[in-house]
């Protein structure tokens, strides 16, 4: 075949491929629209989820594009999402990982790396709330550190800064905060305590993407922070995902290494010329023996990388995240003004005056003297198809695994115990419309009528 014929054939094939791609994309949109039209909310019959992924054909198309290209490992989309996420949050750098739990693990492990000159050592103490998500504690314990649990405030669900200061000993090196359900911690006094006592701060920002404290986004105060993209959270990367945010570039190589098997090479897991973006792949030696830098290990790492399809979905979700957050705040306010009428039964959530929470959910704590208990109330709601969840681990020291872990408690955990016994949350996620909220409030009203 001569060159001209060959080129013509290639361009015909290209056109055919583009036509097919357009058809696939159009069909995805049509499919999505039909699916959407079928999902009608029927009060009492449809489940009112506490959370869920909100997406449309654009996410499906972006993920399909990656599949059609045939590059599945983290690549161009991953690098772009990392850049966009860091810009959105206002942090120096983001690394995608496969979950929020992995992000917590990498963040704490990074502080343990010998490559960080002022690294922590096994046995050092970490002050953290007792009312928490369990994998926060896993990260601390797996790194050989000792969790020091302190209580939280019943309204903000976060620790009081004075309690943090009281828990400091000579061994304390780190404060690991959780912005519970999106509610920012009181960052000014906490950062001052950290500075005065030469402590690091890591923020678990998994519930709080878009929350601000004095106009600054949570996740940018600590040396590192963790984000989750599980569908319950503010945006999702195809069902699982997370990110580690760096506010100190000394962790650039360390975090990447921990995410990618612990290897020394930083050329990236991404596509393109992986054979040495650094240009020095074959210039390294171990014990004087030349060795491929891609196969030199500098950390005891993990493989916690997500895949390219996830990054593609995340990029579309991030363009919508501000709208999602507005809807979360709107739904939260509707529930807050409803529950205010019944404050004699409930302790309601409260934000710090200087903060603007990007709420994850609506927490409710039943007062000690209320004429009903949490079990009766949540059973009633679940039967009415309104999903409820306890506030994660409640008082984590009561969880079975903590019987096998060394930890310290500073002060009483009276509020964490109350939360364990009396707190739960319901949804505010952007998939909930006014009809859902009206159904939720009228259902609660029916329950409360028995007691008024
Ligand atoms: C505060 C907090 N930290 C960490 C996690 C863990 O995130 P993932 O489920 O992505 O592992 C969660 C999950 O919901 C969370 O709420």
């Amino acid at each position: 075949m001569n060159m001209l014929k060959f080129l013509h054939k290639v361009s015909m094939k290209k056109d055919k491929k583009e036509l097919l791609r357009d058809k696939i994309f159009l069909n995805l949109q049509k499919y999505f629209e039909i699916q959407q039209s079928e999902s009608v909310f029927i009060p009492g019959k449809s489940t009112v989820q506490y959370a869920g992924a909100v997406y449309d054909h654009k996410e499906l198309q972006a993920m399909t594009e990656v599949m059609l290209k045939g590059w599945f490992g983290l690549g161009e989309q991953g690098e772009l999402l990392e850049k966009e996420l860091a810009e959105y949050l206002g942090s120096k750098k983001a690394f995608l990982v496969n979950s929020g739990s992995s992000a917590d693990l990498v963040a704490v492990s990074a502080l343990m790396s010998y490559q960080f000159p002022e690294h922590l050592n096994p046995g050092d103490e970490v002050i953290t709330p007792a009312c928490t998500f369990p994998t926060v504690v896993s990260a601390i314990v797996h790194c050989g550190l000792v969790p020091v649990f302190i209580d939280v405030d019943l309204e903000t669900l976060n620790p009081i800064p004075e309690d943090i200061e009281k828990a400091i000993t000579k061994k304390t090196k780190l404060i690991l905060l959780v912005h519970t359900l999106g509610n920012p911690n009181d960052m000014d006094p906490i950062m001052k305590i950290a500075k005065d006592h030469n402590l690091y701060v890591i923020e678990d920002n998994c519930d709080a993407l878009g929350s601000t404290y004095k106009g600054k986004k949570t996740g940018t105060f600590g040396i590192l922070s963790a984000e989750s993209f599980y569908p319950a959270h503010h945006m999702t990367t195809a069902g699982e995902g997370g990110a580690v945010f760096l506010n100190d570039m000394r962790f650039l190589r360390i975090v990447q290494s921990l995410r990618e098997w612990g290897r020394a090479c930083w050329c990236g897991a991404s596509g393109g010329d992986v054979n040495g973006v650094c240009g020095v792949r074959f210039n390294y030696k171990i014990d004087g023996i030349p060795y491929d830098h891609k196969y030199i290990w500098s950390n005891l790492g993990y493989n916690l990388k997500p895949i390219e399809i996830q990054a593609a979905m995340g990029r579309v979700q991030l363009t919508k995240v501000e709208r999602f957050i507005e809807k979360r705040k709107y739904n939260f306010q509707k529930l807050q003004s409803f529950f205010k009428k019944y404050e004699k039964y409930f302790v309601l959530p409260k934000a710090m005056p200087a903060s603007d929470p990007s709420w994850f959910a609506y927490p409710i704590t039943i007062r000690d003297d209320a004429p009903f208990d949490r079990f009766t109330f949540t059973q009633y709601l679940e039967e009415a198809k309104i999903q409820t969840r306890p506030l994660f681990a409640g008082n984590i020291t009561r969880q079975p695994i903590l019987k096998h872990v060394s930890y310290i408690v500073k002060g009483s955990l009276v509020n964490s115990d109350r939360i364990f016994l009396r707190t739960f949350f319901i949804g505010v996620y952007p998939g909930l419309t006014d009809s859902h909220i009206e159904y939720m409030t009228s259902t609660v009203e029916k329950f409360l009528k028995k007691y008024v």
Side-chain angles (χ1 to χ4, degrees):
M1 195 187 317
N2 70 28
M3 198 57 174
L4 227 62
K5 266 193 184 160
F6 174 74
L7 287 175
H8 178 70
K9 216 169 165 187
V10 169
S11 83
M12 289 285 287
K13 261 199 190 149
K14 201 172 157 216
D15 288 348
K16 257 194 198 160
K17 268 173 68 189
E18 265 164 27
L19 268 173
L20 274 172
R21 177 189 168 279
D22 290 349
K23 260 193 198 164
I24 293 168
F25 275 33
L26 194 66
N27 281 334
L28 276 173
Q29 183 168 354
K30 280 188 191 155
Y31 183 91
F32 183 82
E33 280 163 7
I34 293 170
Q35 198 174 40
Q36 229 7 39
S37 68
E38 284 169 358
S39 75
V40 186
F41 175 61
I42 306 167
K45 288 222 155 43
S46 316
T47 301
V48 181
Q49 293 175 204
Y50 85 92
V54 176
Y55 63 94
D56 62 27
H57 63 278
K58 293 198 187 85
E59 280 86 345
L60 299 179
Q61 288 170 345
M63 288 190 281
T64 307
E65 185 84 67
V66 169
M67 287 196 281
L68 295 179
K69 275 194 180 150
W71 184 276
F72 302 109
L74 210 54
E76 190 192 12
Q77 295 297 310
E79 277 179 14
L80 287 168
L81 180 57
E82 287 177 345
K83 210 165 154 273
E84 289 156 2
L85 279 169
E87 269 165 26
Y88 173 75
L89 206 73
S91 86
K92 294 199 167 102
K93 169 81 187 147
F95 280 105
L96 294 174
V97 287
N98 59 1
S99 73
S101 303
S102 299
D104 280 325
L105 180 63
V106 169
V108 181
S109 302
L111 272 183
M112 300 298 289
S113 171
Y114 72 93
Q115 291 184 319
F116 180 54
E118 299 135 36
H119 62 85
L120 274 51
N121 289 298
D124 286 344
E125 293 176 5
V126 183
I127 298 172
T128 198
C131 173
T132 188
F133 194 83
T135 50
V136 171
V137 180
S138 308
I140 297 170
V141 175
H142 287 316
C143 287
L145 301 168
V146 180
V148 177
F149 295 115
I150 56 169
D151 209 6
V152 297
D153 176 77
L154 211 51
E155 291 175 313
T156 66
L157 306 167
N158 290 321
I160 298 166
E162 294 85 79
D163 287 348
I164 295 179
E165 191 149 37
K166 277 189 215 150
I168 296 172
T169 70
K170 278 196 184 122
K171 285 187 167 180
T172 310
K173 292 285 154 48
L174 169 66
I175 303 169
L176 207 172
L177 298 171
V178 179
H179 299 295
T180 309
L181 299 185
N183 201 9
N185 279 268
D186 199 358
M187 294 313 294
D188 272 356
I190 293 175
M191 293 311 286
K192 182 170 180 332
I193 292 167
K195 193 161 176 251
D196 291 349
H197 296 269
N198 206 16
L199 308 177
Y200 297 111
V201 173
I202 289 180
E203 297 169 83
D204 177 311
N205 202 43
C206 290
D207 293 350
L209 187 64
S211 291
T212 59
Y213 178 90
K214 295 199 173 163
K216 184 171 153 70
K217 288 213 172 79
T218 56
T220 61
F221 290 85
I223 197 159
L224 294 156
S225 70
E227 202 64 62
S228 167
F229 302 131
Y230 184 72
H233 294 267
H234 297 60
M235 57 173 263
T236 186
T237 48
E240 296 286 355
V244 183
F245 287 90
L246 278 59
N247 300 315
D248 182 330
M249 288 303 265
R250 285 179 294 173
F251 292 102
L252 186 69
R253 300 276 182 259
I254 300 171
V255 167
Q256 183 168 6
S257 169
L258 287 166
R259 177 187 74 165
E260 296 167 22
W261 305 283
R263 68 179 176 182
C265 165
W266 62 82
C267 292
S270 51
D273 184 12
V274 289
N275 285 336
V277 175
C278 60
V280 287
R281 181 176 161 193
F282 298 107
N283 292 5
Y284 286 85
K285 288 181 179 161
I286 300 179
D287 296 338
I289 300 163
Y291 216 82
D292 186 342
H293 197 218
K294 286 175 94 53
Y295 286 81
I296 296 179
W297 275 269
S298 54
N299 281 284
L300 283 176
Y302 309 91
N303 179 2
L304 303 173
K305 300 188 302 299
I307 58 170
E308 185 75 336
I309 291 171
Q310 290 174 277
M313 179 171 192
R315 290 192 69 210
V316 184
Q317 288 268 289
L318 188 59
T319 64
K320 301 175 177 179
V321 84
E322 281 300 309
R323 256 185 291 144
F324 290 165
I325 290 169
E326 281 317 307
K327 194 74 198 296
R328 283 176 176 274
K329 289 180 183 172
Y330 171 85
N331 286 341
F332 182 95
Q333 281 316 329
K334 285 213 135 189
L335 290 172
Q336 182 82 327
S337 41
F338 167 77
F339 277 100
K340 274 247 176 263
K341 293 185 280 185
Y342 299 103
E343 263 190 293
K344 67 173 178 175
Y345 299 134
F346 306 114
V347 180
L348 301 183
K350 192 177 118 188
M352 283 288 137
S355 70
D356 185 11
S358 164
W359 291 101
F360 173 81
Y362 188 80
I364 301 162
T365 300
I366 297 164
R367 288 193 190 276
D368 297 353
D369 57 359
F372 50 89
D373 60 20
R374 180 180 60 188
F375 186 75
T376 317
F377 193 24
T378 54
Q379 279 290 102
Y380 167 83
L381 293 174
E382 293 279 348
E383 273 164 27
K385 298 246 168 220
I386 299 168
Q387 285 187 335
T388 65
R389 292 288 184 275
L391 184 36
F392 306 134
N395 174 354
I396 189 107
T397 67
R398 290 194 176 273
Q399 293 287 342
I401 185 59
L402 268 282
K403 295 200 172 35
H404 307 275
V405 166
S406 294
Y407 64 88
I408 295 167
V409 172
K410 281 284 165 74
S412 101
L413 299 182
V414 60
N415 287 336
S416 302
D417 265 340
R418 279 213 177 89
I419 289 166
F420 186 75
L421 187 69
R422 315 189 74 88
T423 303
F424 70 98
F425 63 77
I426 52 177
V428 298
Y429 85 106
L432 299 181
T433 62
D434 283 351
S435 315
H436 292 98
I437 303 286
E438 271 151 34
Y439 172 67
M440 287 157 96
T441 54
S442 63
T443 307
V444 170
E445 218 144 39
K446 262 188 222 156
F447 176 86
L448 295 177
K449 267 209 178 105
K450 285 188 258 172
Y451 303 97
V452 178

